[in-house]
Amino acid sequence: MTTLIDGKPGESISILDRGFQYGDGIFETMAVANSEPLLWDRHLHRFLHGTARLSLKAPSVDLLRREAEQVCRGNERGVLKIILTRGITGRGYAPNMDAATTRAVSLLPWPDYPARLRTDGVNVQFCRNLITRHPVLAGLKHLNRLEQVLARMELKNGCTEGLMQDETGHIIEGTMANIFIVSGGALLTPNLEHSGVDGVMRGLVLERARALSMDCRVTELTREIILGADEVFLTNSLIGIWPVRQIESQDYPVGRITKQIQDAIRDAIVAD
Amino acid sequence: MTTLIDGKPGESISILDRGFQYGDGIFETMAVANSEPLLWDRHLHRFLHGTARLSLKAPSVDLLRREAEQVCRGNERGVLKIILTRGITGRGYAPNMDAATTRAVSLLPWPDYPARLRTDGVNVQFCRNLITRHPVLAGLKHLNRLEQVLARMELKNGCTEGLMQDETGHIIEGTMANIFIVSGGALLTPNLEHSGVDGVMRGLVLERARALSMDCRVTELTREIILGADEVFLTNSLIGIWPVRQIESQDYPVGRITKQIQDAIRDAIVAD
């Protein structure tokens, strides 16, 4: 791991940091290929949206880019993770709006997911642990991730991902990936207005699918709709697209549209 | 600040700690008077309940007590804060159940709230930011506190606390305190089965009020019920009991029952 904390090499932060005390911050995780963070502009856009939504002071875009380049340099593959927290203030939830933020920019090892996950697909289950609805936090990649940790702990042997539903019974996403289904020729993905992470790869998939004139719909998906789908796949910036082969006892093919979209985003992922 | 991290003096943790990465942990905050953490057994009980609920490995009770005594020693007043996280594992939400936890035991400065807050009371407002319903996280003092931070940021000048409601319109608690109302002679406090923090002082108040043969009800409270109450007060382990004098434009007295309960818990708080 190579990390810059507020621009200086380091690997630790104060226990008084609000990131540690309250999860008061946001993060970004992106794939790095040949020393380059992929989809940088899109990640930066979501990051800045997160800072605005949480009233976090955003660092300068140039500074962030320089630090990202510094930790990525010389790395053929890796994961670039940027964490921004509200820094150190006194005890209590009230933030000091003048306090400096804490910025951690790290290059982490590439996860080396088996290549067959992209070709042959993965098994998925439904999770009992809920993902909650919160209009201000919805869409953000913030540091409060206990819901995902709890859901991830439910995964049975052989399952690579778990799908999370909100209190109203709508499936929102996986613990670490967004979900798409193909149904009657249309591409559907859950509405993230109330909860979930607005994935950068999800955004790219929607854009490229529309460019291919596919019928794309951001809508509400239930367990039943997903179980009745023709194709299902998962997306995130590191995995790219993983076809889903099985959910509980329902089988799916690695379908034509899934493969077409995998082809359409090939420039934006780390090659196997 | 005096802090022991996993038993050794220190003030920083790895940025890879799951407390920092995901808010994957719990905490306790207690008042310290004459080197003694107050209501230790009750805090410990909630802490152990939190470790069980989140499948966190609990440290030994003796070890925790020794570390608490070590940081509290020689302090007339202070705040003892214990944080326990799931420690360091690789990137990703899946925990390594064999990994060591991270334990931070700190003595922080006493907040020195003005004494008049206990006698004269505080002004309170309703917050727009929601507190979400999550059956597994409900009641726990976990490290995902963005909802409270957002609500706290709403507070208008002159307001000391903000009340948070869930998606169904039930008022659950303040950002940092539990709420009680007195209505028709009965003492009412919100049900925390779906969200909120099961406050140690809240538990003590219920117990002592029952011992005084008061009619106590854990129930559902709406904005309207609270606005129509005869008395309102806030509780937590540091403030003890603060009477509420005003919510929005509604005034309340520092009532007889509030004072009676203040008297009944006087042994469990730091004297002004």
Side-chain angles (χ1 to χ4, degrees):
Chain A
M1 182 175 70
T2 315
T3 299
L4 296 173
I5 297 177
D6 296 327
K8 297 189 196 82
E11 298 194 351
S12 63
I13 53 127
S14 164
I15 64 152
L16 293 180
D17 193 277
R18 291 175 66 95
F20 186 65
Q21 297 273 329
Y22 307 130
D24 189 5
I26 55 171
F27 69 111
E28 283 294 326
T29 307
M30 47 198 114
V32 173
N34 304 317
S35 307
E36 267 299 311
L38 303 182
L39 303 174
W40 170 264
D41 288 347
R42 291 171 191 262
H43 283 284
L44 188 68
H45 181 265
R46 180 176 60 184
F47 179 81
L48 294 176
H49 172 66
T51 61
R53 191 83 81 78
L54 297 183
S55 307
L56 279 164
K57 269 191 280 190
S60 106
V61 169
D62 289 347
L63 175 74
L64 217 49
R65 179 69 202 189
R66 274 201 309 278
E67 292 181 354
E69 280 171 359
Q70 189 178 334
V71 300
C72 291
R73 199 168 296 145
N75 288 281
E76 201 189 327
R77 290 174 175 200
V79 174
L80 176 64
K81 185 159 182 174
I82 298 175
I83 298 178
L84 184 77
T85 80
R86 213 180 300 273
I88 297 175
T89 56
R91 211 191 47 75
Y93 299 132
N96 173 351
M97 302 308 269
D98 296 327
T101 54
T102 299
R103 189 173 72 253
V105 178
S106 309
L107 198 275
L108 303 166
W110 180 249
D112 273 330
Y113 297 116
R116 65 178 162 72
L117 301 185
R118 271 190 198 154
T119 49
D120 302 356
V122 297
N123 288 359
V124 168
Q125 69 176 67
F126 292 109
C127 292
R128 283 185 319 277
N129 273 287
L130 297 177
I131 187 166
T132 54
R133 292 159 66 94
H134 192 288
V136 179
L137 296 177
L140 304 190
K141 211 163 163 76
H142 57 71
L143 293 173
N144 279 196
R145 305 253 65 103
L146 265 173
E147 294 178 358
Q148 283 70 28
V149 171
L150 288 171
R152 188 65 185 67
M153 283 165 64
E154 283 184 50
L155 292 206
K156 294 173 207 135
N157 245 336
C159 275
T160 306
E161 177 60 305
L163 299 177
M164 299 178 73
Q165 62 175 13
D166 69 12
E167 224 192 12
T168 69
H170 293 113
I171 301 288
I172 304 299
E173 61 187 12
T175 63
M176 63 156 196
N178 291 114
I179 182 174
F180 284 81
I181 68 168
V182 177
S183 187
L187 188 66
L188 280 63
T189 193
N191 178 355
L192 304 180
E193 260 175 62
H194 299 291
S195 46
V197 175
D198 185 4
V200 161
M201 186 56 66
R202 172 182 181 271
L204 184 72
V205 163
L206 283 172
E207 202 176 294
R208 298 271 166 99
R210 283 179 181 131
L212 291 168
S213 302
M214 283 184 193
D215 176 10
C216 296
R217 296 181 213 158
V218 175
T219 180
E220 290 181 334
L221 295 185
T222 60
R223 196 177 166 114
E224 289 63 42
I225 293 172
I226 292 171
L227 288 174
D230 303 320
E231 305 176 26
V232 180
F233 63 85
L234 303 172
T235 65
N236 84 23
S237 294
L238 302 187
I239 67 176
I241 292 175
W242 283 349
V244 172
R245 294 308 300 279
Q246 194 176 58
I247 305 180
E248 311 281 341
S249 58
Q250 178 68 48
D251 294 314
Y252 306 87
V254 179
R256 186 181 56 81
I257 293 184
T258 301
K259 286 186 199 157
Q260 203 180 345
I261 295 177
Q262 279 184 322
D263 279 343
I265 57 111
R266 211 162 282 278
D267 62 304
I269 60 170
V270 172
D272 289 322
Chain B
M1 183 175 70
T2 316
T3 298
L4 296 173
I5 297 179
D6 297 327
K8 298 189 195 80
E11 298 194 350
S12 63
I13 53 127
S14 165
I15 64 153
L16 292 181
D17 193 277
R18 291 174 66 97
F20 186 65
Q21 297 273 329
Y22 307 130
D24 189 6
I26 55 172
F27 70 111
E28 282 296 326
T29 307
M30 48 198 113
V32 173
N34 304 318
S35 306
E36 267 301 309
L38 303 182
L39 304 174
W40 170 263
D41 288 346
R42 289 170 191 263
H43 283 285
L44 188 68
H45 181 265
R46 180 175 61 185
F47 179 81
L48 294 176
H49 173 66
T51 61
R53 191 84 80 76
L54 297 183
S55 308
L56 278 163
K57 268 191 280 189
S60 106
V61 169
D62 289 346
L63 176 73
L64 218 49
R65 180 70 202 189
R66 275 202 308 278
E67 292 181 356
E69 280 170 1
Q70 190 178 335
V71 301
C72 291
R73 199 168 297 145
N75 287 280
E76 201 190 326
R77 289 174 175 201
V79 175
L80 175 64
K81 185 159 182 175
I82 299 176
I83 298 178
L84 183 77
T85 80
R86 211 180 301 273
I88 297 176
T89 56
R91 211 191 46 76
Y93 298 132
N96 174 352
M97 303 308 268
D98 297 326
T101 53
T102 300
R103 189 174 72 253
V105 178
S106 308
L107 198 276
L108 303 166
W110 181 248
D112 272 329
Y113 297 115
R116 64 178 161 72
L117 301 185
R118 271 190 198 155
T119 49
D120 301 356
V122 297
N123 288 359
V124 167
Q125 70 176 67
F126 292 109
C127 292
R128 286 186 316 278
N129 272 287
L130 297 177
I131 187 164
T132 55
R133 293 159 64 95
H134 192 288
V136 179
L137 296 176
L140 304 189
K141 212 163 163 75
H142 58 69
L143 294 173
N144 279 196
R145 305 251 68 101
L146 264 173
E147 293 178 359
Q148 283 70 28
V149 171
L150 288 171
R152 190 65 185 66
M153 283 164 64
E154 284 184 49
L155 291 207
K156 294 173 208 135
N157 246 336
C159 274
T160 306
E161 177 60 306
L163 299 177
M164 300 178 71
Q165 62 174 12
D166 69 11
E167 224 193 13
T168 69
H170 292 113
I171 301 288
I172 304 299
E173 61 188 11
T175 64
M176 62 157 197
N178 291 114
I179 182 173
F180 283 81
I181 68 168
V182 177
S183 188
L187 188 65
L188 280 62
T189 193
N191 177 355
L192 304 180
E193 258 176 62
H194 299 292
S195 45
V197 174
D198 184 2
V200 162
M201 187 55 68
R202 172 181 180 272
L204 184 73
V205 164
L206 283 172
E207 203 175 292
R208 299 272 166 98
R210 283 180 182 132
L212 291 167
S213 301
M214 284 185 193
D215 176 11
C216 297
R217 298 183 211 154
V218 174
T219 181
E220 290 181 332
L221 295 186
T222 60
R223 196 176 167 115
E224 289 63 42
I225 293 173
I226 292 171
L227 288 174
D230 303 319
E231 304 177 27
V232 180
F233 61 86
L234 303 173
T235 65
N236 83 24
S237 295
L238 303 188
I239 67 175
I241 293 175
W242 283 348
V244 172
R245 294 308 299 276
Q246 193 177 59
I247 306 180
E248 311 281 340
S249 58
Q250 178 67 48
D251 294 316
Y252 307 87
V254 179
R256 185 181 58 82
I257 293 184
T258 302
K259 285 185 200 156
Q260 203 179 345
I261 295 177
Q262 279 183 323
D263 280 342
I265 57 112
R266 212 163 281 278
D267 61 305
I269 61 171
V270 173
D272 288 323

